[in-house]
Amino acid sequence: MNIPTRFAHLATIETPADLRRVLDEELPAVADELRQYLIESVASSGGHFGAGLGVVELTVALHHVFDTPRDRLVWDVGHQCYPHKILTGRRDRITTIKKKDGLAPFPRREESEYDTFGVGHSSTSISAALGMAIAAQRKGDHRKVVAVIGDGAMTAGMAFEALNHGGDVEPNMLVVFNDNGMSISENVGALTKMMARAMASHTLNAWRERAKRAIPKQSFFGRFFKRWEEHAKGMFVPSTLFEELGFHYTGPIDGHDIPQLLHALRMVKDLPGPQLLHVVTTKGKGYAPAEQAQIEYHAVGPFDPQAGLAKKAAPARQTYTDVFSDWLCDQAAADERLLGITPAMREGSGLVRFSKEYPQRYFDVAIAEQHAVTLAAGMACEGAKPVVAIYSTFLQRAYDQAIHDVALQNLDVTFAIDRAGVVGPDGATHAGSFDLSFLRCLPNMVIMAPADENECRMMLSTGFAYDGPAAIRYPRGTGPGVAMHKELDTLPLGKAELRRRGRRLALLSFGAMLAPAVEIAAELDATLVNMRFVKPLDEAMILELAKTHEAFVTLEDNAVAGGAGSAVAECLAAHGVTLPILHLGLPDVYLEHGSREEVLTMAGLDLPGIRNAIRARFPQFAAAASA
């Protein structure tokens, strides 16, 4: 991309300090170039798209008004940050985003001093900014702290926990509520309806703000106006909610009008105490296809910006998400007690079809993972059979609820855990590295990991049929292409599958690691077991193999620490069996972003990595196999 000639304003901006030297009247031109640069960059490389387009003017205005990085700017949800990265010294590397050794797709403290807080999930910004503001005030530091919260992040309970606390301690901080009515799909819930009423009342708000400036606060009319305002504004706008929580509310204003943004930001910048500025934006702003199809353009692969996204061809093989989607509808047809729950991940978790075919049994609870799990627990108490469709990384946010509200009470909740194991381009914040470890220690919990698509379908049926909490964790992407059975067949609980009878060495594979294990087992003439169940473990199979083999290798795409391999070691130790074991899984580090294949290679879980690890630990078996 030719920066100097095609983007004359943007070419002069290496840091926000350069932006602050730009005249106010030139900022719309900067925003126009930034938007076009973002469109062309993401079109060439892929990445999050619509959210960044929606905050172009807001990003320009914030960095122009505030003295970043001295003034702290916290983004939430983090996928809004692409324009921020372009303006903060990373313009020429933006096309490396999500790629191995490239920029992270979310704010990351190690990447830039302008990324003040790492955020790959959502709804953390107000808490983090509040902590920064309190710490700064204790030091006598008068830096400004700004939390930008949008793209559905305000629907989570944590945001309101922070607002509740912030209004009590009265820090000097600003919350910019970027209200675009969207998460990945449309926002849901009562808060969204309230914000919709606010967006319909611009005239009232403009009149209100003019009146407040014109009437002296301490005059009779000023006091009368204040009392009238408290009664009247609650009928039209959400200011009462935020002001009752202790935040001075301003807005809503047009988040794409730079002069209006500059005026509002300068007005609230130096006001004492907690401030909330409500800006209304359009996700995908400035690129017509993204405005008209906001869900499809949330995150994209490379595309032609002139033609827009090409229609995707049907994949050669079903993804595991597709398998879940079909199973959910089939199981719902067979059992009317099934209810489907998602925390704002309808598309990603495969609930689009279910939401259309069974709208009365579909519950999108917004970005509220804790509520999703306890809601399911309450449903189970009354005889329903809820299925919680959730990413592995997002289930971490509801761990207390999984323990206390589901497992402790042994309630009949099925967890369909997508994006388990190595996820890839979204990086460490989205990796499903820990679910086997943090679920395995819970009494009453059944845990399964399928090796192929049909096994995934059978495990979902098994978990649903089980009268208690059950988790089925499956990876992102496609499986090996195994033929699917239409029936809702189940598996014997806790029984592994012997795939190959070999000698001396036994490979115990959990889930998606079976594919490379098949080839390794053949090379080494080793026994291969598809373990299927992490809990209950097939102890009988393990103890039988321990009598006839000299060593074990466990394979899993979960953290080695506390994972499925640890369960095998614990089983042997409990029975007084001493046997050499090599545990292969994800290492004790946060793996960087890259393609799934690249991350597996980094972790040593590709075919060469597994082969080399086994040969290094057990050279005698490799030598015997090649003899």
Side-chain angles (χ1 to χ4, degrees):
M1 217 175 290
N2 191 334
I3 293 295
T5 58
R6 295 201 53 229
F7 300 94
H9 291 87
L10 203 58
T12 66
I13 300 170
E14 298 294 337
T15 70
D18 300 323
L19 180 64
R20 287 189 281 274
R21 288 190 284 269
V22 176
L23 298 176
D24 286 6
E25 54 267 29
E26 295 178 357
L27 292 178
V30 173
D32 289 343
E33 289 186 12
L34 176 57
R35 174 170 282 110
Q36 187 59 35
Y37 187 80
L38 180 65
I39 290 170
E40 295 183 23
S41 299
V42 177
S44 71
S45 62
H48 294 100
F49 191 53
L53 291 175
V55 296
V56 166
E57 289 82 7
L58 178 60
T59 306
V60 169
L62 284 167
H63 280 297
H64 186 74
V65 171
F66 289 92
D67 184 21
T68 55
R70 171 175 162 72
D71 290 340
R72 306 305 196 208
L73 190 56
V74 184
W75 289 96
D76 178 12
V77 175
H79 57 232
Q80 300 177 102
C81 74
Y82 286 33
H84 161 81
K85 293 200 176 202
I86 292 170
L87 293 176
T88 54
R90 290 165 280 181
R91 180 192 64 212
D92 299 335
R93 297 185 63 215
I94 198 67
T95 55
T96 70
I97 211 158
K98 285 192 165 190
K99 294 180 173 62
K100 185 176 183 294
D101 301 324
L103 296 179
F106 306 104
R108 184 177 180 184
R109 285 172 56 84
E110 298 87 349
E111 187 176 288
S112 171
E113 62 180 333
Y114 294 93
D115 293 359
T116 61
F117 196 77
V119 52
H121 288 183
S122 81
S123 315
T124 57
S125 60
I126 305 177
S127 296
L130 176 59
M132 293 175 184
I134 291 172
Q137 287 175 217
R138 286 181 57 83
K139 295 187 295 184
D141 191 331
H142 299 292
R143 72 176 77 237
K144 308 300 178 183
V145 182
V146 182
V148 185
I149 182 167
D151 237 38
M154 191 65 94
T155 62
M158 186 174 176
F160 286 88
E161 293 172 20
L163 287 170
N164 178 61
H165 184 210
D168 184 49
V169 298
E170 298 188 348
N172 292 325
M173 65 175 289
L174 169 64
V175 174
V176 178
F177 173 30
N178 171 32
D179 181 8
N180 64 8
M182 294 292 292
S183 176
I184 293 177
S185 49
E186 300 88 350
N187 283 346
V188 297
L191 179 67
T192 298
K193 294 177 182 177
M194 182 178 70
M195 295 306 164
R197 290 197 299 271
M199 284 189 273
S201 47
H202 286 277
T203 301
L204 173 68
N205 279 278
W207 178 86
R208 168 177 168 254
E209 291 302 320
R210 285 196 298 270
K212 287 172 70 174
R213 292 194 295 270
I215 303 173
K217 291 182 180 180
Q218 300 308 316
S219 69
F220 168 79
F221 290 107
R223 293 191 297 272
F224 172 81
F225 175 78
K226 180 65 176 176
R227 288 195 298 270
W228 174 86
E229 178 193 30
E230 291 299 326
H231 288 288
K233 66 187 178 182
M235 295 186 293
F236 302 98
V237 297
S239 55
T240 300
L241 170 65
F242 295 117
E243 291 189 355
E244 288 295 334
L245 287 170
F247 280 73
H248 177 265
Y249 174 92
T250 302
I253 68 168
D254 183 349
H256 301 297
D257 185 326
I258 286 184
Q260 194 175 136
L261 282 168
L262 294 175
H263 172 76
L265 289 170
R266 286 166 176 157
M267 181 177 68
V268 300
K269 177 181 177 182
D270 295 317
L271 290 177
Q275 307 291 320
L276 189 141
L277 174 62
H278 181 182
V279 303
V280 178
T281 63
T282 300
K283 191 168 183 175
K285 178 70 174 179
Y287 185 67
E291 290 187 40
Q292 295 160 11
Q294 294 177 333
I295 296 172
E296 290 82 351
Y297 281 88
H298 171 75
V300 297
F303 68 98
D304 179 354
Q306 299 302 317
L309 290 177
K311 187 175 182 180
K312 293 182 179 178
R317 300 194 300 266
Q318 273 196 316
T319 66
Y320 282 100
T321 305
D322 294 335
V323 172
F324 166 72
S325 177
D326 291 344
W327 170 84
L328 187 66
C329 292
D330 293 346
Q331 189 69 65
D335 193 329
E336 64 180 12
R337 295 175 298 167
L338 184 150
L339 303 176
I341 303 170
T342 178
M345 295 302 297
R346 179 183 65 188
E347 284 75 23
S349 292
L351 278 83
V352 173
R353 179 186 160 197
F354 179 80
S355 69
K356 294 176 180 177
E357 294 185 12
Y358 299 95
Q360 301 306 314
R361 295 159 67 180
Y362 165 73
F363 299 89
D364 183 344
V365 302
I367 303 177
E369 294 88 356
Q370 294 172 305
H371 169 58
V373 173
T374 303
L375 175 72
M379 291 172 171
C381 286
E382 297 302 319
K385 290 182 72 67
V387 176
V388 179
I390 192 167
Y391 286 11
S392 173
T393 184
F394 298 147
L395 181 58
Q396 295 163 185
R397 294 161 64 96
Y399 189 46
D400 181 72
Q401 288 68 32
I403 297 173
H404 287 272
D405 300 338
V406 176
L408 179 63
Q409 302 184 86
N410 200 27
L411 291 173
D412 189 2
V413 176
T414 302
F415 294 93
I417 305 174
D418 205 331
R419 270 59 166 186
V422 170
V423 174
D426 285 335
T429 59
H430 281 56
S433 306
F434 312 113
D435 52 77
L436 295 185
S437 300
F438 69 68
L439 291 175
R440 192 173 68 78
C441 59
L442 304 185
N444 298 327
M445 184 70 73
V446 168
I447 308 168
M448 293 167 269
D452 59 52
E453 302 93 327
N454 192 55
E455 198 166 79
C456 183
R457 181 177 173 90
M458 295 177 73
M459 286 182 176
L460 288 163
S461 296
T462 303
F464 187 78
Y466 176 69
D467 186 18
I472 303 90
R473 55 102 69 176
Y474 43 91
R476 182 179 190 175
T478 59
V482 171
M484 299 287 293
H485 297 169
K486 293 183 179 180
E487 295 75 20
L488 295 168
D489 296 334
T490 60
L491 295 170
L493 197 66
K495 294 300 181 183
E497 176 194 29
L498 182 65
R499 282 289 185 103
R500 185 186 194 279
R501 175 68 72 175
R503 59 193 183 89
R504 301 186 69 188
L505 180 67
L507 308 183
L508 311 183
S509 177
F510 294 86
M513 299 314 300
L514 184 69
V518 168
E519 189 166 336
I520 296 293
E523 289 179 8
L524 301 179
D525 191 23
T527 293
L528 175 61
V529 181
N530 174 22
M531 292 301 296
R532 288 180 167 171
F533 288 84
V534 179
K535 187 174 185 178
L537 199 64
D538 191 341
E539 295 193 355
M541 173 76 79
I542 291 170
L543 295 174
E544 176 195 338
L545 294 175
K547 295 175 182 177
T548 56
H549 291 74
E550 300 172 29
F552 282 175
V553 177
T554 65
L555 300 101
E556 61 189 298
D557 57 344
N558 184 84
V560 169
S566 295
V568 173
E570 291 163 13
C571 169
L572 293 175
H575 290 86
V577 177
T578 302
L579 196 72
I581 306 179
L582 171 62
H583 297 301
L584 298 180
L586 300 179
D588 191 26
V589 296
Y590 291 105
L591 293 167
E592 298 295 330
H593 49 276
S595 69
R596 175 176 166 81
E597 292 72 24
E598 287 171 335
V599 177
L600 284 170
T601 298
M602 283 189 262
L605 290 180
D606 60 346
L607 188 62
I610 295 170
R611 180 186 293 118
N612 292 339
I614 294 175
R615 287 179 173 175
R617 178 67 183 275
F618 302 120
Q620 67 274 29
F621 302 136
S626 61

